[in-house]
Amino acid sequence: MMNLGSLSLSTSKSSKPMVSLSFWIPYFTHWGESLLVCGSAPGLGSGNVKKGLLLKPSQQDDQLIWSGSVSLPPGFSCDYCYYVVDDSKNVLRSEFGMKRKLVVPETLTGGESVHLHDLWQSGDQALPFRSAFKDVIFHHSFDVKVEKPLGVFMNKSDQDDSVVVQFKICCPDIGEGTSVYVLGTPEKLGKWKVENGLRLNYVDDSIWEADCLIPKADFPIKYRYCKVQKEGSIGFESGGNRELSLHSIGSKQEYIVMSDGLFRAMPWRGAGVAVPMFSVRSEDDVGVGEFLDLKLLVDWAVDSGLHLVQLLPVNDTSVHKMWWDSYPYSSLSVFALHPLYLRVQALSERLPEDIKEEIQKAKKQLDKKDVDYEATMETKLSIAKKIFDLEKDQTLNSSSFQKFFSENEGWLKPYAAFCFLRDFFETSDHSQWGTFSDYTDDKLEKLISKDSLHYNTICFHYYIQYHLNVQLSAAAEYARKKGVVLKGDLPIGVDRNSVDTWVYRNLFRMNTSTGAPPDYFDKNGQNWGFPTYNWEEMSKDNYAWWRARLTQMGKYFTAYRIDHILGFFRIWELPAHAMTGLVGKFRPSIPLSQEELEKEGIWDFDRLSKPYIQKKFLEEKFGDFWPFIASNFLNETQKDMYEFKEDCNTEKKIAAKLKSLAEKSLLLENEDKVRRDVFDILRNVVLIKDPEDARKFYPRFNIEDTSSFQDLDDHSKNVLKRLYYDYYFQRQEDLWRKNALKTLPALLNSSNMLACGEDLGLIPSCVHPVMQELGLVGLRIQRMPSESDVKFGIPANYDYMTVCAPSCHDCSTLRAWWEEDEERRQQYFKEVIGVDEIPPSQCVPEITHFILRQHVEAPSMWAIFPLQDMMALKEEYTTRPATEETINDPTNPKHYWRYRVHVTLDSLLKDTDLKSTIKNLVSSSGRSVPTGEDINKSQGEVIANGSTKPNP
C-alpha cells in the first residue's frame, strides 16, 4: 500500500515556503480498521474519502494515536472530517456534528510547523448543535458577538525554546456576560489563578479560542477550562485536568492547536409533557385538540417548569374516511398534516355571521367525553369548504400561499390528486383506480390541471394544507420563543394505500406487512399492516424519501421520536395474507439453510414447515366442535393427520370463511374465539419456509410453545433449540449493526432535530452501542425494564442518553397500571417504595408524587410524563375511571384512538397548585426550567464557588 502518511497539498511549481501541518487524534480501532482525514480541498480528497489522507497509528502511553502530515501554503483553508475506513477505504464510521474548519493564517510566512490535536466527534457531542438546544434551550448562547476570526494566531513562534499553543473549546451554554478562561500550570495560564489566566475569544458556532507562547521547558502542562460570570463567580469544567506533552521537539517554529471538544459540565437535564394532539381540550376547539391549542399547552408547560411538549404523529391518516383513521401511525401521506387539527374559525378574519353561528353550534355538539372522529372531520371539512368558497381567490393568489406552494409542490400536488381520486373511486386502494393505478408525472399534471372540471377540489386540498401549515408554524414558533422544545413523532410505516406507496411504489415491498414479534405489549406479536421498505432501492438515491420526511418535520419540530427504531436495524416482516404478528421473520437476517439443517440431521422439512395437525390436538382445542372445524377447514392426509384446504390456508382466508359461515348462521360458537383457535393450528409450525427461496428457513418465534416442536425426538429438539437461539440472538448482530449504520445516519444528517429512539421490545445487543455511537437518545419505561432479571426498572440507574417515563401512549396510565394488578402493586410497594404494608388500592396523589420524583431525579437527559400521569398529582383530576385514560391498546389492531383530557387547558392554566407542584418537583431535582421569556438568559449552568480550584 502506498504510504500516504505525509502529503503535499501544493500543486504549484512555485518555491513559495510551505507550512507543515500535522493531524493528531487519539482513537481506538478494531482489527482491519484505519483512520483517515478527508477535506474539501485537493490533497485531502476534495470531499472524496477514497482520496483522503490515510493516517498512521502509534502507541503513546495508554492511547492509540493516529497521525499524518501535509504541506500547504499560508492562507489555506478548508473543511475536514475524520473517518474510520477498511483496507479499501470504505467508510465504516464517520464523525458527527459540524465539519471542522482548517485555517492556516496568512500571517505565517512558511517553514512553520502546525500540529492539530483533535478529538473524535461522537454523536452525543453533536447534541448541543441540534435545534432543540441550539435554537431553543441554549438559544441565548448562539447570540454571543464574535470577537475574532477563527484560527488566527495572536502570538508568533519566533523563539526556538517556546511553542505557541492555541486552546479551543466548545461552550454551547453561555450566560449573558460570561467569559471563558483556560487555567493551568504554566505562568501564561495563570498558575491556576483566574486573574492571570488566559481569556478566550468567541469565534462563532459556540467555539472559544485563544493562544499564548509557552516555554518548552514548562511541558508537560496541565490545564482546565472555566466559565467566569460577570459578578466574578467561577464554574470549572468537571472531570480531571487536561494534559499536553511535547512528543517531538523540533527546531522549527512550532504551533499547536488544541481542539478540546465540549466544555465538560454537569449534563443538562430537562422535563416535559406528552399528550396526543387529539387529546387536548380547550375553550376554542371544535371537538378535538387543534394546532393553535399548542400555545396554551406551551404556556402551561412553562408555568409547570417543563422544557418540552411531545405529540403523537400529526400527519393525515384519512385512508378509510371513518373512525379507523383515528390511528395516528397509519399515514395517508408522510408530508401532509391532518385536517382534524385545523382551527376553522382562524381561516378568515371576516367570517359571515351564519358560519360563526355554525361553528359555535358545532363546538357545543362535539364537546364530548371522547373524540367523535367521523363527526368532527365531517363538520370541520364542511365549514372549511364554505369559507374556502368565499376566500379562495384571495388566498390562492396571496404571496404567502404562492411561497408555500412553491416550497411544497413536490408532495402537495400528488397528495391533492390522491385525495380527489380516493373520493372519486370511493377507496384509497389505488390498485382499484384503473388507468390511475400506475402513477406517472404526466397523469398527475393532467389531474391537477387548471382546465380540469375538478380543479376547485384540488385547490381545496391545497388550501387546507396551507392553513394547517400556517397554524402549526405559528404554534411551533411560539414554543421556540418560550424556550419549549416541540417534539414530533416519526412513524415507522405508512399505510399500504397511501400517497407514498402510489407515487414511490418501488420503495416498498407491497407483498409484505410490518409488525413486531411477541413482547411486553402483545404475547402474539403485532401486525401493523404497513408494507416493509425496499432498503436496497432507497439507498440508490441516499434515502431521499426519508431525508425529505425529516426535512419536512424539521419545519415544525425541534426534536422527534423515531417510532420502533429497531426497524432500522431489522424489521419483523410478515406475509401480506397474515392478520396476526406471530409467524414472521426478521428482514434482513441470515436464515437457516437447508444444507445447514441437513448437516445437523434435520431432514423432514415438510413436517417442520407445514401446520402439524393431529386429531388429538383438534379434540383438545375444540372438543365436540372439532368435526365441524375438520369438515370446513381441513383435509385428512392420513389417519388422524390433517392439512388446511386451499381456500383457507392463510389467516385472511380463514377469517373470510368464518365470516361467511357466521352470516349463514352455520357457526354456532363465538366467531372471535374460533378464529383465534384455528389461527393457533395454522401457526403450529417449527420452521417458516422463505417464500422466495425454498432452501432457506426461519425458526418460528417461541418455537418451544408449539405442539409441533413438542412432538419431535430429543435430538431434533436440541438441534432446533440451539439454532433458534443462534438465529434470534447471535448470528444477526453484525448484519443488523451494519444495516443501522447505513440507514440511520442518512436520517440524522438530513435535519437538525434532536433524535430520540423508541427502543422497547426485543432488543438485539447491537442496538444500544449503535445508538450511543450515533448520539440517539433512548427510552426507558419503568414497568418494561431492559434488564431481564428485574421486575421494575430503577430510574437512578438509567443512562444519561435516555428519556425516562413511568408510562407511554402504548400502555395503561400510571393510575390504571397501579390499580389493575394487586400482586404487582404489592411487589412494587415493597421493593421500590420500600414499605412492607398493604398498599392503597387506588393510585393516590402521594404514590404518583413518589413515582414522578423517582423519574425527575434520574440521570436521564429527559423525564417526560403523559399529561394524565401529571394530573394524577391532584385528587380532583382522578374522578374519571383510570381505564378511560388509556390512549392505545396495542393488542387491538382496530383500537379507536379518541381519548380526550376531561379538563380544558384554559382551566389547567388557572390551577396554580398543580403547576407549582410539578415545577417544584422538576426544579428540586436539578433539572432546568424555562423562564418563559424570549430566551435570553442562561439556564442549567453549573457554577462552582469562587474559591474552588482544580487540583494542580
Side-chain angles (χ1 to χ4, degrees):
M1 181 182 292
M2 183 185 296
N3 179 7
L4 296 178
S6 180
L7 190 66
S8 172
L9 296 185
S10 174
T11 56
S12 170
K13 296 181 181 179
S14 169
S15 59
K16 180 179 178 180
M18 306 290 281
V19 174
S20 173
L21 185 137
S22 61
F23 298 92
W24 190 97
I25 183 170
Y27 190 89
F28 281 103
T29 54
H30 299 292
W31 181 260
E33 297 178 343
S34 298
L35 235 66
L36 175 148
V37 61
C38 179
S40 57
L44 286 180
S46 297
N48 184 346
V49 177
K50 294 276 189 181
K51 298 180 180 179
L53 173 65
L54 199 62
L55 305 179
K56 289 181 177 179
S58 63
Q59 192 74 35
Q60 295 183 13
D61 300 325
D62 60 345
Q63 293 183 316
L64 184 64
I65 305 298
W66 293 84
S67 59
S69 62
V70 293
S71 297
L72 43 81
F76 177 89
S77 66
C78 76
D79 296 334
Y80 72 100
C81 186
Y82 292 99
Y83 298 86
V84 177
V85 296
D86 62 17
D87 291 340
S88 300
K89 289 192 175 182
N90 297 309
V91 175
L92 303 176
R93 286 185 296 284
S94 60
E95 292 189 288
F96 281 80
M98 297 182 296
K99 293 278 188 181
R100 302 171 186 269
K101 297 186 184 300
L102 170 60
V103 178
V104 181
E106 294 181 351
T107 52
L108 299 183
T109 57
E112 299 91 347
S113 179
V114 178
H115 308 276
L116 301 181
H117 286 230
D118 290 328
L119 297 174
W120 180 269
Q121 293 179 169
S122 57
D124 58 345
Q125 291 177 317
L127 293 184
F129 301 98
R130 295 294 183 182
S131 52
F133 291 104
K134 181 178 180 180
D135 299 333
V136 183
I137 296 168
F138 298 154
H139 178 70
H140 53 273
S141 301
F142 289 82
D143 289 338
V144 182
K145 292 182 179 179
V146 172
E147 297 175 305
K148 69 178 280 290
L150 175 72
V152 172
F153 291 112
M154 305 304 291
N155 290 273
K156 187 172 183 181
S157 177
D158 52 5
Q159 303 172 28
D160 290 343
D161 61 350
S162 299
V163 178
V164 172
V165 181
Q166 184 178 85
F167 297 91
K168 185 185 299 185
I169 192 72
C170 175
C171 295
D173 185 15
I174 288 289
E176 185 180 359
T178 299
S179 299
V180 180
Y181 282 76
V182 59
L183 309 180
T185 50
E187 184 175 349
K188 290 296 180 72
L189 299 185
K191 293 189 174 181
W192 299 111
K193 294 182 179 179
V194 173
E195 57 269 24
N196 299 324
L198 180 64
R199 181 186 178 279
L200 276 59
N201 304 114
Y202 185 65
V203 298
D204 207 5
D205 286 332
S206 291
I207 301 296
W208 298 71
E209 68 177 30
D211 60 77
C212 62
L213 194 64
I214 300 179
K216 293 180 180 178
D218 287 354
F219 288 88
I221 66 170
K222 295 181 179 181
Y223 65 98
R224 198 188 293 197
Y225 297 94
C226 67
K227 298 177 184 178
V228 180
Q229 302 292 306
K230 57 184 176 183
E231 72 274 11
S233 59
I234 304 170
F236 281 105
E237 64 174 345
S238 58
N241 295 327
R242 301 177 188 260
E243 296 187 22
L244 172 60
S245 300
L246 292 182
H247 293 284
S248 60
I249 302 176
S251 58
K252 291 183 179 180
Q253 297 172 334
E254 303 268 353
Y255 294 81
I256 298 175
V257 179
M258 298 299 298
S259 295
D260 280 323
L262 284 173
F263 186 94
R264 300 183 312 219
M266 287 291 288
W268 183 96
R269 297 182 305 138
V273 59
V275 62
M277 190 72 259
F278 58 79
S279 297
V280 168
R281 189 187 297 267
S282 77
E283 294 176 0
D284 290 325
D285 70 50
V286 178
V288 71
E290 297 167 347
F291 287 144
L292 290 177
D293 289 328
L294 288 171
K295 293 184 178 182
L296 293 176
L297 186 57
V298 164
D299 286 340
W300 182 83
V302 170
D303 290 350
S304 303
L306 306 175
H307 257 302
L308 181 145
V309 168
Q310 177 172 323
L311 304 176
L312 294 187
V314 293
N315 293 111
D316 192 356
T317 58
S318 307
V319 175
H320 307 283
K321 301 198 74 176
M322 59 175 291
W323 68 262
W324 289 359
D325 297 334
S326 67
Y327 179 31
Y329 288 90
S330 188
S331 307
L332 176 84
S333 165
V334 299
F335 300 100
L337 298 171
H338 206 310
L340 185 69
Y341 306 126
L342 184 71
R343 176 155 296 167
V344 289
Q345 58 266 49
L347 294 179
S348 173
E349 297 177 352
R350 300 179 302 278
L351 290 178
E353 286 302 316
D354 60 330
I355 292 181
K356 288 182 180 179
E357 291 174 6
E358 186 177 359
I359 292 172
Q360 290 302 315
K361 182 180 178 182
K363 285 173 65 175
K364 293 178 182 178
Q365 291 178 338
L366 295 171
D367 187 21
K368 303 177 181 180
K369 183 179 74 172
D370 296 311
V371 176
D372 186 335
Y373 182 91
E374 293 174 17
T376 302
M377 278 292 289
E378 183 179 352
T379 300
K380 286 196 171 192
L381 291 177
S382 174
I383 294 172
K385 182 63 168 61
K386 293 174 183 177
I387 302 172
F388 167 75
D389 289 338
L390 294 172
E391 301 216 340
K392 59 185 176 184
D393 292 337
Q394 180 181 348
T395 300
L396 298 180
N397 291 321
S398 67
S399 58
S400 58
F401 174 83
Q402 294 296 328
K403 182 175 184 292
F404 165 77
F405 186 83
S406 65
E407 292 175 351
N408 295 276
E409 60 180 319
W411 64 264
L412 185 59
K413 293 195 294 187
Y415 166 77
F418 186 99
C419 291
F420 165 74
L421 291 170
R422 172 200 62 197
D423 297 345
F424 181 82
F425 288 103
E426 298 183 336
T427 178
S428 291
D429 183 355
H430 38 79
S431 67
Q432 306 299 312
W433 289 355
T435 184
F436 295 109
S437 293
D438 296 318
Y439 171 90
T440 66
D441 290 340
D442 288 342
K443 291 177 185 177
L444 174 66
E445 291 305 320
K446 290 177 181 177
L447 280 167
I448 63 170
S449 168
K450 292 183 179 180
D451 298 329
S452 66
L453 295 175
H454 53 264
Y455 184 64
N456 195 60
T457 302
I458 296 290
C459 287
F460 178 61
H461 295 297
Y462 294 162
Y463 173 86
I464 294 295
Q465 287 300 313
Y466 164 70
H467 278 288
L468 286 165
N469 169 75
V470 168
Q471 293 180 15
L472 182 53
S473 295
E477 178 62 15
Y478 186 83
R480 191 197 68 77
K481 286 184 175 180
K482 289 285 187 175
V484 173
V485 173
L486 195 59
K487 182 180 178 184
D489 198 323
L490 182 76
I492 184 63
V494 301
D495 198 282
R496 65 178 61 251
N497 297 319
S498 64
V499 183
D500 301 280
T501 58
W502 180 51
V503 178
Y504 306 106
R505 188 174 302 183
N506 62 317
L507 301 184
F508 303 91
R509 292 171 51 82
M510 296 297 288
N511 63 335
T512 66
S513 187
T514 306
D519 58 12
Y520 175 92
F521 297 111
D522 194 334
K523 63 182 179 63
N524 290 314
Q526 298 176 61
N527 185 338
W528 302 321
F530 313 134
T532 57
Y533 295 117
N534 185 342
W535 289 108
E536 294 78 11
E537 193 67 29
M538 287 180 162
S539 67
K540 292 179 181 178
D541 59 7
N542 194 26
Y543 311 99
W545 180 78
W546 281 103
R547 289 186 286 112
R549 285 184 73 177
L550 270 296
T551 300
Q552 186 72 10
M553 276 192 79
K555 294 178 180 178
Y556 311 113
F557 300 102
T558 48
Y560 67 107
R561 168 188 178 272
I562 302 176
D563 174 44
H564 193 64
I565 196 171
L566 304 182
F568 293 91
F569 292 78
R570 82 295 185 270
I571 199 72
W572 187 244
E573 185 176 77
L574 301 148
H577 56 68
M579 294 177 66
T580 62
L582 189 59
V583 187
K585 61 183 176 64
F586 285 123
R587 174 175 289 273
S589 66
I590 303 167
L592 308 178
S593 68
Q594 185 167 323
E595 293 78 11
E596 179 182 8
L597 289 163
E598 287 173 346
K599 286 179 182 178
E600 297 279 3
I602 304 295
W603 302 91
D604 195 348
F605 299 107
D606 275 354
R607 154 73 177 84
L608 297 172
S609 62
K610 290 183 178 181
Y612 182 62
I613 309 172
Q614 287 187 312
K615 178 183 175 181
K616 64 177 182 179
F617 298 152
L618 298 175
E619 291 174 332
E620 290 171 5
K621 185 169 283 291
F622 298 100
D624 294 340
F625 190 59
W626 85 265
F628 178 86
I629 297 297
S631 62
N632 282 279
F633 293 90
L634 307 170
N635 290 323
E636 190 170 13
T637 55
Q638 52 183 293
K639 184 173 174 55
D640 296 337
M641 293 295 296
Y642 295 84
E643 68 178 9
F644 276 94
K645 294 180 178 179
E646 182 66 28
D647 66 345
C648 50
N649 60 0
T650 71
E651 290 181 341
K652 285 188 176 178
K653 288 180 181 179
I654 290 169
K657 188 158 189 175
L658 281 171
K659 185 177 181 181
S660 173
L661 291 170
E663 289 172 349
K664 297 174 183 176
S665 300
L666 298 175
L667 189 63
L668 303 179
E669 301 287 324
N670 179 274
E671 183 180 345
D672 288 340
K673 183 181 184 305
V674 174
R675 181 172 62 246
R676 288 194 300 270
D677 289 343
V678 178
F679 281 4
D680 282 345
I681 298 173
L682 181 71
R683 299 181 304 212
N684 189 26
V685 297
V686 173
L687 298 176
I688 299 168
K689 185 180 292 187
D690 192 313
E692 297 170 8
D693 188 339
R695 297 181 66 82
K696 293 179 180 178
F697 300 88
Y698 307 87
R700 203 210 85 155
F701 202 88
N702 290 342
I703 192 174
E704 294 182 58
D705 293 347
T706 66
S707 57
S708 178
F709 176 86
Q710 293 161 8
D711 239 25
L712 293 171
D713 61 89
D714 288 342
H715 169 75
S716 297
K717 285 181 181 178
N718 291 332
V719 167
L720 289 165
K721 278 196 288 187
R722 175 165 46 80
L723 292 176
Y724 173 92
Y725 184 85
D726 181 59
Y727 174 83
Y728 281 103
F729 302 107
Q730 289 185 329
R731 71 166 64 187
Q732 319 296 348
E733 292 292 332
D734 187 56
L735 172 67
W736 291 344
R737 175 183 164 277
K738 289 178 179 177
N739 195 53
L741 288 173
K742 190 165 54 177
T743 56
L744 282 171
L747 270 73
L748 300 176
N749 293 331
S750 62
S751 88
N752 211 22
M753 294 181 287
L754 174 68
C756 306
E758 183 265 289
D759 52 346
L760 304 175
L762 184 69
I763 310 294
S765 60
C766 63
V767 170
H768 290 151
V770 167
M771 291 182 66
Q772 184 177 3
E773 181 177 337
L774 300 182
L776 280 159
V777 182
L779 177 62
R780 299 293 176 267
I781 305 291
Q782 187 173 29
R783 69 185 75 171
M784 307 176 213
S786 52
E787 305 90 349
S788 59
D789 58 341
V790 296
K791 176 88 171 181
F792 311 107
I794 305 172
N797 293 343
Y798 292 161
D799 293 331
Y800 173 67
M801 290 291 290
T802 57
V803 171
C804 68
S807 66
C808 66
H809 69 272
D810 272 334
C811 57
S812 54
T813 61
L814 183 53
R815 279 206 305 138
W817 176 79
W818 181 266
E819 296 166 11
E820 67 194 9
D821 189 324
E822 181 181 358
E823 182 181 348
R824 183 180 61 200
R825 179 168 67 238
Q826 290 178 341
Q827 187 178 358
Y828 186 92
F829 204 58
K830 180 178 180 180
E831 295 181 7
V832 181
I833 298 181
V835 180
D836 194 7
E837 298 176 3
I838 298 175
S841 59
Q842 303 296 308
C843 188
V844 295
E846 291 79 8
I847 297 293
T848 302
H849 191 279
F850 176 88
I851 295 174
L852 266 57
R853 192 182 76 225
Q854 271 192 311
H855 287 76
V856 294
E857 291 177 351
S860 302
M861 180 190 298
W862 290 102
I864 300 177
F865 304 99
L867 182 57
Q868 306 96 299
D869 291 352
M870 285 185 163
M871 291 174 65
L873 286 166
K874 195 165 183 178
E875 192 169 359
E876 70 178 81
Y877 297 133
T878 63
T879 55
R880 186 175 183 176
T883 53
E884 293 183 2
E885 294 184 335
T886 299
I887 294 168
N888 177 38
D889 175 8
T891 65
N892 179 9
K894 292 301 180 186
H895 176 75
Y896 194 167
W897 298 61
R898 61 186 314 197
Y899 164 72
R900 293 197 78 188
V901 179
H902 58 286
V903 182
T904 66
L905 288 172
D906 312 77
S907 297
L908 284 177
L909 271 168
K910 296 173 184 176
D911 189 338
T912 55
D913 289 342
L914 179 63
K915 292 189 296 183
S916 176
T917 298
I918 297 170
K919 190 168 186 177
N920 287 338
L921 259 177
V922 174
S923 60
S924 65
S925 71
R927 291 185 180 269
S928 170
V929 296
T931 64
E933 300 173 8
D934 214 339
I935 321 168
N936 57 11
K937 293 184 179 180
S938 179
Q939 302 148 19
E941 188 165 340
V942 179
I943 303 299
N945 184 285
S947 62
T948 302
K949 72 176 184 179
N951 296 320

